[in-house]
Amino acid sequence: MNAENDLKAQADQNIPEGYDPDLYRIRHSLAHIMAQAVIERYPGTMTAIGPPIENGFYYDFDLPDKLGEEDLKGIENRMKEIIRGRHSFRVREVGPDEARELFRDNPYKLELVEGLTQGGYDEYGNALPDAQQTAITVYRQDTFLDLCRGPHMEHTGEIKFNAFKLMNVSSAYWHGDEQNPMLTRIYGTAWRDKTELHAHLKRLEEAQRRDHRRLGRELELFMGHEFIGTGLPIWLPNGATVRRLIEEYIEEEERKAGYMHVYSPHLGKQELYEKSGHWEHYKDEMFPPIELKNENLVLRPMNCPHHILIYASKLHSYRDLPIRIAELGTMYRFEKSGKMGGLSRVRAMTLNDAHIFCSPSQVKEEFANVMRLVERAYRTLGIADYAYRLSLRDKADSEKYVDNDAMWDMAEDMLRETMDALDLPYVEVPGEAAFYGPKLDIQFRDVLGREETYSTIQIDFHLPNQFDLTYIDRDDRECHPVIIHRGVLSTMERMVAYLIELYAGAFPVWLAPIQAVLIPISDRHIAYAQQVTARLAQAGFRVEIDESNNRINAKIRNAQLRKIPYMLVVGDREVQGESVSVRLRSGENLNAMPVTAFEALLRHIANTRSLSLVENEKQPEA
Ligand code: TSB
Ligand code: ZN
């Protein structure tokens, strides 16, 4: 058996790579302190697991009674007392029998003890990479003893009592499995000091302000319904407007860049996906087939096979290449139900997709063209914060990836060379490739700092081979083209989720569902306001009139909440002068201007897809 000091030294090895050791010890210690407080306040509570996580910690409890957010303050107060008690964290090693004895009344801990005894599991029940058997250790502070590998603080007094906060109560199944008992999870956030805690709470508040699910509801952009199902959003008129404008914009850019747009059905026979390899490598992400009498149909998880059949429907010479087939292609993926929320991860999605069929010697240039298109689109949309990720195969995973090392090496090298030639920085991440080839993924972070893939450009030698695609080269030989799969704006769902958060719902004028609202000061100005509304609508703008009985300030406040870029206030003076008084959603007032002048302003700002509300301003609004 190891001495206490040795055990504490070993415990530091449990700190995950990249996790700040101080924060890890603080959070881990607080999880134990919280468990002590909960057990004291709610006798009969059984503890399950309580690890440090990003920004904080949680503990799962099997409680005798239900517990709500209103109970957190009391627990928190008791935790502060425990902190002030300066109780030491003591560790000692125990044998399996003693561990079983110590936790004999707690089936959760007993299960974990068995895992530790047999080897291959840590004290949270997570499988370990090798079946190593770890020493069983228990940590104690004050009255609380837990099965734990550490590390912890030396004593509870080392934690700042004002640098943590219990955030919420939720439910979680033991081992995350619905078949198991439901536990109560209390989540807390913890930091080194008060300033760090407050900075974190501020970030959270900002994230909530921008949260696209909240704004999606408030601004009536999209909705879900339990009768339709998780991950199957409905685009409401406002959201549909934003989406349509983005779609029109990108299709216009693509037409200029030589793409041809097609429409193809969302279904295909199972055989199609057997041939493509989706059936072998991507089946888990597909909805189960629809079984008909003589055939099985599947909802397509990708658009490539359909586009490939379009290419294959004709003979091609090298002179025809590259052929760029584009579609706002709707596809369906059987995403795990836990991973969805809002629009960013869904089960039915429309990808700004295209497949470029080209000769190997054209890959570099085509790739560079796509990158240019991506950069132009980002500039238009005001997207400035992103990173490149080279997503490569995991050589050990033959289930997920097509087995053909020579092909993979060639495609990965080509991708690397192309990125290097463009002089763009990237990180390489194995295990993130598509099953058919490596990808250049462009990663954004959402308001909570979570990373997701948006744009993607992929090099594929596999599918041309599977479908025996050909073209006749200069020397009259039949060759396989290369396919570049690319999604410039990702799926409309994921991109709009991002844009809602980026703009905090205040879309640039060209995307705003309603661009201007007429605000008549009193009833006698309504007729004039209607006239202006009709005129602007005739000119193709999205304009509304607020004819409610609300007072003027309430009307402005309302428009502000709806993030309508321009509020056009009209009273006697404006009627007289055929003008409007323009108030911006930023709070700024422009002087009264003739309706013609406002129309010209709106036209200019919208047509140039400006990110600002007034002319000659390069900067987007804050
Ligand atoms: C680019 N066959 C290629 C296509 O030609 C393809 O489908 N690639 S993909 O699998 O990487 O998906 C393209 C993009 O769709 C991803 O980069 C991601 O931005 C987006 N996407 C993927 N899954 C989802 C989802 N469940 N919800 C919303 N968007 C998604
Ligand atoms: Zn594809």
Side-chain angles (χ1 to χ4, degrees):
M1 297 256 164
N2 290 298
E4 177 157 22
N5 281 340
D6 295 338
L7 292 172
K8 285 191 172 171
Q10 282 165 27
D12 281 345
Q13 290 165 15
N14 299 328
I15 301 173
E17 219 183 291
Y19 205 123
D20 181 292
D22 287 338
L23 285 173
Y24 192 84
R25 289 191 201 97
I26 290 172
R27 290 166 182 170
H28 202 173
S29 300
L30 277 163
H32 283 216
I33 294 170
M34 178 168 76
Q36 179 183 341
V38 170
I39 290 172
E40 286 173 359
R41 292 176 70 82
Y42 307 97
T45 295
M46 282 191 283
T47 53
I49 57 163
I53 53 169
E54 204 187 352
N55 302 327
F57 60 92
Y58 69 80
Y59 216 118
D60 287 346
F61 301 103
D62 189 338
L63 284 157
D65 290 307
K66 252 188 126 42
L67 189 141
E69 316 252 299
E70 65 282 359
D71 300 309
L72 294 182
K73 220 41 283 139
I75 299 171
E76 219 176 83
N77 288 340
R78 176 60 192 136
M79 288 172 71
K80 287 179 183 173
E81 282 171 20
I82 298 170
I83 288 174
R84 286 201 198 90
R86 301 173 69 84
H87 305 288
S88 299
F89 283 96
R90 304 298 305 270
V91 55
R92 71 189 175 87
E93 192 173 339
V94 295
D97 287 335
E98 189 183 354
R100 285 183 200 114
E101 179 57 24
L102 284 169
F103 298 105
R104 63 167 184 265
D105 297 328
N106 183 328
Y108 306 104
K109 295 292 178 190
L110 283 179
E111 192 186 317
L112 298 175
V113 167
E114 288 320 308
L116 289 170
T117 307
Q118 284 159 20
Y121 291 93
D122 68 10
E123 86 273 33
Y124 300 125
N126 297 319
L128 293 169
D130 38 28
Q132 59 182 329
Q133 198 178 330
T134 34
I136 304 178
T137 54
V138 290
Y139 271 81
R140 173 188 290 282
Q141 94 272 357
D142 196 16
T143 61
F144 178 70
L145 179 100
D146 204 356
L147 182 72
C148 176
R149 290 194 302 167
H152 286 282
M153 311 297 277
E154 279 303 317
H155 62 82
T156 60
E158 288 179 340
I159 297 164
K160 296 241 165 55
F161 70 91
N162 57 5
F164 82 95
K165 188 174 188 311
L166 299 188
M167 302 295 284
N168 59 50
V169 183
S170 59
S171 354
Y173 293 102
W174 174 237
H175 292 317
D177 184 343
E178 301 174 30
Q179 308 294 319
N180 290 331
M182 177 134 70
L183 304 168
T184 302
R185 174 169 300 179
I186 304 182
Y187 168 74
T189 186
W191 301 85
R192 258 174 293 246
D193 55 37
K194 191 172 114 187
T195 321
E196 276 188 15
L197 171 66
H198 284 182
H200 174 69
L201 295 178
K202 228 169 158 90
R203 269 197 306 275
L204 271 188
E205 208 179 285
E206 179 63 10
Q208 269 159 15
R209 189 176 80 83
R210 291 175 179 268
D211 182 358
H212 83 274
R213 287 165 301 183
R214 193 176 72 91
L215 288 168
R217 234 181 355 260
E218 287 175 10
L219 301 174
E220 297 183 19
L221 297 165
F222 63 92
M223 62 174 261
H225 199 288
E226 56 178 328
F227 280 179
I228 300 174
T230 32
L232 302 171
I234 290 183
W235 294 76
L236 296 169
N238 290 336
T241 301
V242 175
R243 170 174 167 173
R244 187 186 66 247
L245 290 158
I246 293 172
E247 290 180 346
E248 284 171 5
Y249 161 70
I250 197 65
E251 285 197 334
E252 181 187 320
E253 288 292 337
E254 285 170 346
R255 275 194 300 276
K256 286 188 215 159
Y259 288 80
M260 297 178 294
H261 291 94
V262 300
Y263 297 102
S264 57
H266 304 180
L267 292 141
K269 284 193 198 170
Q270 182 176 316
E271 284 98 303
L272 178 61
Y273 299 92
E274 283 166 2
K275 194 170 172 69
S276 66
H278 282 83
W279 206 250
E280 191 183 341
H281 301 287
Y282 205 73
K283 195 158 164 248
D284 289 347
E285 264 115 323
M286 295 168 68
F287 280 94
I290 302 165
E291 291 177 19
L292 304 178
K293 224 192 197 135
N294 299 316
E295 62 191 21
N296 278 2
L297 288 178
V298 299
L299 284 165
R300 66 179 176 191
M302 294 193 191
N303 308 311
C304 348
H306 287 79
H307 292 184
I308 285 169
L309 296 179
I310 296 173
Y311 177 90
S313 67
K314 274 193 357 186
L315 286 178
H316 297 283
S317 114
Y318 67 94
R319 285 189 218 88
D320 308 332
L321 303 187
I323 290 174
R324 307 179 188 92
I325 299 177
E327 178 173 7
L328 285 156
T330 301
M331 52 197 205
Y332 304 84
R333 293 185 184 175
F334 193 48
E335 298 283 356
K336 308 257 174 323
S337 56
K339 283 173 85 187
M340 286 174 297
L343 286 183
S344 44
R345 184 172 295 275
V346 289
R347 285 179 167 173
M349 64 205 91
T350 300
L351 179 63
N352 166 219
D353 204 358
H355 295 92
I356 303 173
F357 300 80
C358 64
S359 69
S361 65
Q362 292 172 323
V363 168
K364 267 193 186 152
E365 195 188 334
E366 278 308 298
F367 193 98
N369 285 338
V370 175
M371 286 301 260
R372 270 193 286 276
L373 184 58
V374 168
E375 273 160 19
R376 201 163 341 125
Y378 284 4
R379 217 171 318 121
T380 303
L381 291 166
I383 297 167
D385 209 6
Y386 49 92
Y388 300 106
R389 180 181 83 182
L390 221 57
S391 303
L392 309 175
R393 75 190 185 284
D394 172 358
K395 289 186 182 159
D397 192 342
S398 59
E399 215 170 285
K400 187 168 158 197
Y401 298 109
V402 170
D403 183 20
N404 184 340
D405 275 334
M407 179 201 88
W408 278 100
D409 288 340
M410 186 160 67
E412 292 183 357
D413 287 345
M414 196 177 259
L415 195 54
R416 244 183 238 114
E417 280 166 29
T418 309
M419 284 301 282
D420 291 341
L422 292 169
D423 209 13
L424 294 172
Y426 56 82
V427 291
E428 295 195 10
V429 182
E432 291 289 345
F435 76 83
Y436 46 74
K439 315 190 280 177
L440 183 268
D441 287 330
I442 307 188
Q443 307 293 108
F444 301 178
R445 285 183 185 283
D446 73 2
V447 281
L448 286 172
R450 287 176 304 213
E451 189 182 310
E452 277 286 10
T453 301
Y454 286 75
S455 313
T456 182
I457 314 177
Q458 312 168 351
I459 298 181
D460 174 12
F461 292 98
H462 170 72
L463 291 173
N465 202 34
Q466 283 303 101
F467 285 90
D468 199 20
L469 302 182
T470 56
Y471 67 93
I472 308 296
D473 77 358
R474 254 174 237 283
D475 306 319
D476 252 356
R477 285 176 313 199
E478 267 198 354
C479 309
H480 286 312
V482 182
I483 299 179
I484 300 176
H485 305 239
R486 46 108 285 185
V488 165
L489 291 185
S490 176
T491 53
M492 291 303 112
E493 287 75 14
R494 186 166 289 180
M495 181 51 77
V496 170
Y498 182 79
L499 294 178
I500 294 170
E501 299 189 350
L502 177 66
Y503 305 129
F507 291 101
V509 175
W510 72 279
L511 288 176
I514 301 295
Q515 296 169 308
V517 58
L518 265 289
I519 301 184
I521 290 181
S522 74
D523 282 356
R524 65 174 186 281
H525 308 119
I526 287 181
Y528 172 71
Q530 283 172 340
Q531 230 176 295
V532 177
T533 307
R535 168 173 175 169
L536 293 172
Q538 269 305 308
F541 298 109
R542 299 180 294 280
V543 195
E544 262 185 25
I545 177 166
D546 185 346
E547 292 186 31
S548 70
N549 291 325
N550 289 335
R551 298 170 65 90
I552 196 88
N553 280 343
K555 289 186 184 181
I556 286 177
R557 207 183 111 70
N558 211 358
Q560 201 90 40
L561 283 176
R562 293 171 63 203
K563 322 232 177 197
I564 299 175
Y566 303 102
M567 291 154 237
L568 311 179
V569 182
V570 296
D572 290 340
R573 215 157 37 105
E574 286 76 16
V575 173
Q576 199 100 72
E578 285 192 43
S579 64
V580 288
S581 280
V582 184
R583 186 189 158 93
L584 307 180
R585 72 178 159 206
S586 56
E588 207 182 324
N589 284 308
L590 305 185
N591 291 335
M593 58 172 87
V595 176
T596 47
F598 175 73
E599 190 180 325
L601 169 73
L602 185 51
R603 178 166 292 121
H604 175 77
I605 298 291
N607 286 355
T608 57
R609 299 194 171 93
S610 169
L611 295 175
S612 97
L613 300 181
V614 287
E615 269 168 281
N616 303 325
E617 228 181 88
K618 298 258 150 23
Q619 291 304 309
E621 37 169 343

